Every structure is written in C-alpha cells, then in structure tokens.
Amino acid sequence: MSTDTADKKDRKTRLTVLVALGANLLIAAAKAAAGVFAGSPALLSEAAHSVADSMNEVFLLAALRRSRRPADEQHPFGYGKERYFWSLLAAVGIFVMGGCFSFLQGIEALRSHEQESTGGYIAGLSVLGVALLAEGGSLLRALYQVRGQSGGIGSDPALRTVIAEDGTAVLGVLLAGGGMALHMVTGQVVWEASASLAIGLLLVYVAYRLGKDAREQLIGEAVAPELRDDIRALLDRQPEIDNVASLLTMRLGLDSTLVAARIDLRPGLDSEHLELVSERIKAAVVKEWPEADQVFLDITEAPADPPGGTHESHETRASHGARAGDGVRGGDGARETGEPHEPDVTR
C-alpha cells in the first residue's frame, strides 16, 4: 500500500477516534454530574464507562501516530505493531476502569439497606437519552468508515476498538436506563444494581475479546488461511518452481506482512539465473498483495535424477533471500558441497 493511501486511511481513522473522544468526554461529565445528583449506581457506572472510553481513545491516537514511524536499525520491520500494543492497553483500561467500577457500584447498591431516593432520576434519564444519541452517532461514523475500506472491521485495531467501545456504550446506556426506570416504578434498587452488574459483565467481555485479539497480533499472527493459500498457489504457478516446501507468514502491522517461503526449483537452472528468478517471483507477490512488503525466499536448486531413477545422496543448494523493495544482498549463487547443510537466508 502506498504511503499516501495509508496516510489517508489514518486521517479517516483519526477523525473517527476524535469524534468518539469528544462525545465520550461530554457524556462522561454529564453522567457523573447526574449520577451524583440522583445517587444512581447505574448512572455512575456509565460515567466510569465513558471515562474509560475517553482514556482509551487517547491511547488509540498515540497508536496512530507512533505506528507510522519509519523502520530504523533497532526496528527493521517498522513500528506497525504499536497499534496492537496500544489496543491492548485500551482493553486493560476498559476492564479496570469500566468493568471493575461497575461491579463495585452494583455490589454496593445490593448491600445498601437504606431506601434509595429516585427524585433526580428524570434528569438522569434525560442525560442517558442524550448519551444514546451521541454514542449512536459515533458508532454510525465508525461503521460508515468500515464500509468504505477493504478488510472490514478486523483490518484496523484502532477502528475495531472504537466500534467495540461505541457498541458497548449504546448497550450500556440501554441497560442503565432500563434499570433506573424499573427502580422508579417498583421502588426496588435491585433492578438498578443488576443493571450495574450487567454493564460490568459486558465491559469485561469486551475487554477480554479486544485483549485476546491484540495478544494474538503482538506475539505474531499469520495471515488468513485463504490468503496464505492464494500466495502458495501463486508460487506454485511460477514455471521455475518445482515445489513450495514451506510457507510462513506474519502480520507486522496494518499494511505490512512478512512472507517467507522455501522453494525447490526445477532441475537445470544455473546459478546466474537464480537472482533473476528470485526478483521476478518477489515482484509477482508484491504486485498481487502490496501489503506483503517483506518477502524472503530460500531457494534450493533441485538436482536432476540420475540414470537409475533415484536422487543423489547429496544435494546441490543455493540460498538467496530477497526483501521486497530492496536490491539483492548477499548470496553467492549456487554452491556445491560434499555434506548436506541448512540453507542460509540473507536479506
């Protein structure tokens, strides 16, 4: 993917995050004030929820800025995984600040033996109505961006987090409003306490799912099986390739993927032709999938069958690695040895 295209996508995602941040800051202040005035545990739980979401949006803005830093000597594959790290912190924030506080509010309300007043609940429900409109608008903005880009929700962890937060916020507002309304009608605080506990469970579940996805991507997640099969099929179609012995992939960031393949060449290729073959295969992969910007090939020149119909006991191997966008570095062409050895992979 070109730099201009990536920057354009980031600008759209940044605007989506800023819209969500602005909505959450205003809503958090309104919920907190109304919750203290009304003494509503469900409303206070929702205030904590909005505060957690606001902090998480700050994390996501940091992720957007830091993940686009160019590669350097210490990080030769770039900083694309910064997005996954900050998304993990956002998941922790949702769990600690939102989920745990909601549980505490619910348990405290259940343990209270005093009659809870519902005098300020009309104002509280009005605040929740405004919050529902704001959170719904932010969610629609994020979903609209998803429709306009390839890869869907899972392609961008920042966008995925915003959608999860806004979707959870809409459900949380509905739960809090329902609990407050039932408390007003029945006079039983158990309804509102139950709403707080339900909000806590919802936030813990969302935090778990976001944290699980971020963990998988941080430790090194392969591309989708369908994409891996397509890459293997493209390599198999190359006339010089006799067999794809192994194919490894790993997502390095939003628009960066590592592809490492060990391929056996058809018999009869001379060492001088290996570099041209490698460059052509590399270019074919990058042309089909521009995000595969780190391509490494471990090329083994397969020996011809002897007259007896069996392979020789020793192989003649040539190892050559190529990184997309770079010239060929290292590699000394085909080499013959008397002992089998593991091929070297150079960049």
Side-chain angles (χ1 to χ4, degrees), residues 12-215:
K12 290 182 178 179
T13 302
R14 187 177 294 108
L15 178 59
T16 299
V17 175
L18 287 172
V19 168
L21 175 60
N24 280 318
L25 286 174
L26 291 175
I27 293 169
K31 286 178 180 177
V36 172
F37 174 73
S40 167
L43 200 51
L44 289 174
S45 296
E46 272 300 293
H49 181 185
S50 295
V51 171
D53 286 350
S54 299
M55 291 194 64
N56 293 338
E57 262 102 46
V58 174
F59 289 157
L60 298 180
L61 289 174
L64 291 172
R65 179 177 61 84
R66 296 176 64 88
S67 65
R68 289 298 182 189
R69 288 182 295 171
D72 54 36
E73 185 176 353
Q74 287 295 108
H75 301 86
F77 293 111
Y79 290 82
K81 289 194 175 184
E82 284 268 13
R83 295 204 183 204
Y84 309 136
F85 169 74
W86 291 99
S87 295
L88 180 61
L89 289 186
V92 173
I94 292 174
F95 174 80
V96 175
M97 297 190 61
C100 293
F101 186 82
S102 296
F103 279 128
L104 289 175
Q105 285 293 312
I107 293 172
E108 183 66 24
L110 288 175
R111 294 176 59 183
S112 176
H113 299 291
E114 299 180 2
Q115 183 68 28
E116 296 285 344
S117 173
T118 60
Y121 274 35
I122 297 298
L125 288 172
S126 300
V127 169
L128 288 179
V130 174
L132 183 62
L133 293 176
E135 298 285 9
S138 178
L139 177 61
L140 290 176
R141 160 72 198 184
L143 292 174
Y144 176 78
Q145 182 179 342
V146 170
R147 289 187 59 187
Q149 72 178 30
S150 60
I153 294 177
S155 63
D156 188 342
L159 187 58
R160 181 174 64 245
T161 301
V162 171
I163 291 176
E165 287 179 351
D166 289 343
T168 305
V170 170
L171 291 176
V173 167
L174 294 176
L175 286 171
M180 292 176 66
L182 289 172
H183 184 187
M184 290 179 63
V185 172
T186 65
Q188 301 294 321
V189 73
V190 65
W191 292 107
E192 200 168 349
S194 299
S196 293
L197 294 175
I199 292 170
L201 286 172
L202 179 64
L203 293 175
V204 168
Y205 173 73
V206 171
Y208 166 75
R209 290 299 303 270
L210 290 175
K212 181 176 181 294
D213 291 342
R215 171 185 173 274

